[in-house]
Amino acid sequence: MRALLVALLVAAAPAAACETDGGAAHIAAHDGRLTLTLDDGMTVRLAALVPARDAAAAAPAIELSTLLGEPVSVRRSGPDDRWGRQVGDLLLARTGERLSHRLLTQGLALVDPAGMPSDCLDARFSAEAVAETRRVGVWATGFVADAADPRLAQQAGRFALVDGVVDSVGETKGTVYLNFGKAYRTDFTGLFSKRGGKELAKTLKGLAGKRVRVRGVLGAWQGGFIRVTHRRQIEVRSAD
């Protein structure tokens, strides 16, 4: 039953308000990551995704190469980015499958929620969950990092998923700290600027004692940190 539910969620298209029609074309080239060039000259950056990279899963270049020449419909998720690329998704005309879902379910990409409304991310997270359940691609070797790993700060600049129990929640005038240990100078931390919104700050302050997964780019400060700017960067796994 759970597998069926996941499959249905993956197949479901995002809400109409999340996308607009960007026209039809064919895939002409790709950059080996998540930007594709169409035969009409448009470049499309797949929205809310980052390439999944580790020893078990290379960038999605091989999979994208199999799609050269494929007819697609462009689904726009917002304005062009600062490099002039259209941000959105591609609907594969022959199968009706979304390219973002194909990469996520194969463990070749991960969800990066930054810049996309929370309600528009459900299908992407469901597709990612399929790959994690099947342990394919980047998930084959236990990709999720342990918050207690002392080497996290050494991996600064890498997009990571970090799992652990929130030991305590600290707060200053402008920042909420999710402390994943008692040694604040050496343990992993989630950082949230209160300028990011009162509701998210309130949610984070209630996470003490809960096992959570934090996703984002690792920073090198103290024992490593991830800056939280979007509520979907935090997934509550269970209470301690």
Side-chain angles (χ1 to χ4, degrees):
M1 179 63 73
R2 181 178 183 276
L4 175 59
L5 177 59
V6 169
L8 290 173
L9 288 171
V10 171
C18 298
E19 296 180 338
T20 59
D21 183 8
H26 293 75
I27 297 175
H30 64 82
D31 68 348
R33 292 168 59 84
L34 297 172
T35 297
L36 297 100
T37 302
L38 306 183
D39 61 354
D40 62 0
M42 179 186 292
T43 56
V44 179
R45 171 65 165 83
L46 297 180
L49 299 189
V50 294
R53 290 177 177 269
D54 72 354
I62 295 176
E63 180 63 25
L64 292 177
S65 293
T66 68
L67 298 174
L68 295 179
E70 283 292 308
V72 294
S73 296
V74 180
R75 308 303 301 165
R76 295 174 178 266
S77 297
D80 292 359
D81 66 14
R82 56 181 172 173
W83 294 282
R85 300 177 301 185
Q86 174 56 53
V87 178
D89 205 351
L90 295 177
L91 189 66
L92 303 176
R94 298 183 198 276
T95 64
E97 182 182 17
R98 290 172 177 272
L99 182 53
S100 63
H101 294 169
R102 174 177 287 203
L103 297 175
L104 287 165
T105 56
Q106 293 184 28
L108 299 176
L110 297 164
V111 180
D112 178 6
M116 180 170 280
S118 293
D119 293 344
C120 298
L121 290 164
D122 291 345
R124 284 175 172 80
F125 274 106
S126 296
E128 184 186 89
V130 170
E132 182 176 10
T133 299
R134 293 175 178 169
R135 300 187 65 81
V136 296
V138 77
W139 301 98
T141 56
F143 172 74
V144 180
D146 188 336
D149 187 339
R151 301 167 295 177
L152 288 176
Q154 301 171 21
Q155 302 174 47
R158 179 174 74 89
F159 187 89
L161 277 61
V162 181
D163 189 282
V165 175
V166 178
D167 182 80
S168 64
V169 179
E171 183 179 5
T172 63
K173 183 176 180 180
T175 306
V176 175
Y177 298 86
L178 299 181
N179 301 310
F180 285 79
K182 298 185 183 301
Y184 304 149
R185 294 186 182 277
T186 57
D187 291 326
F188 174 72
T189 306
L191 299 179
F192 173 73
S193 171
K194 292 181 180 178
R195 293 192 299 271
K198 294 181 180 179
E199 287 302 315
L200 181 52
K202 181 179 178 181
T203 297
L204 296 179
K205 286 188 281 188
L207 293 180
K210 295 182 178 179
R211 177 169 292 280
V212 304
R213 178 179 291 179
V214 186
R215 70 178 62 215
V217 178
L218 281 166
W221 178 68
Q222 296 187 351
F225 76 95
I226 289 178
R227 193 172 301 280
V228 178
T229 61
H230 193 293
R231 72 177 182 87
R232 297 299 289 269
Q233 286 179 255
I234 301 287
E235 180 185 356
V236 178
R237 309 293 286 180
S238 68
D240 185 23

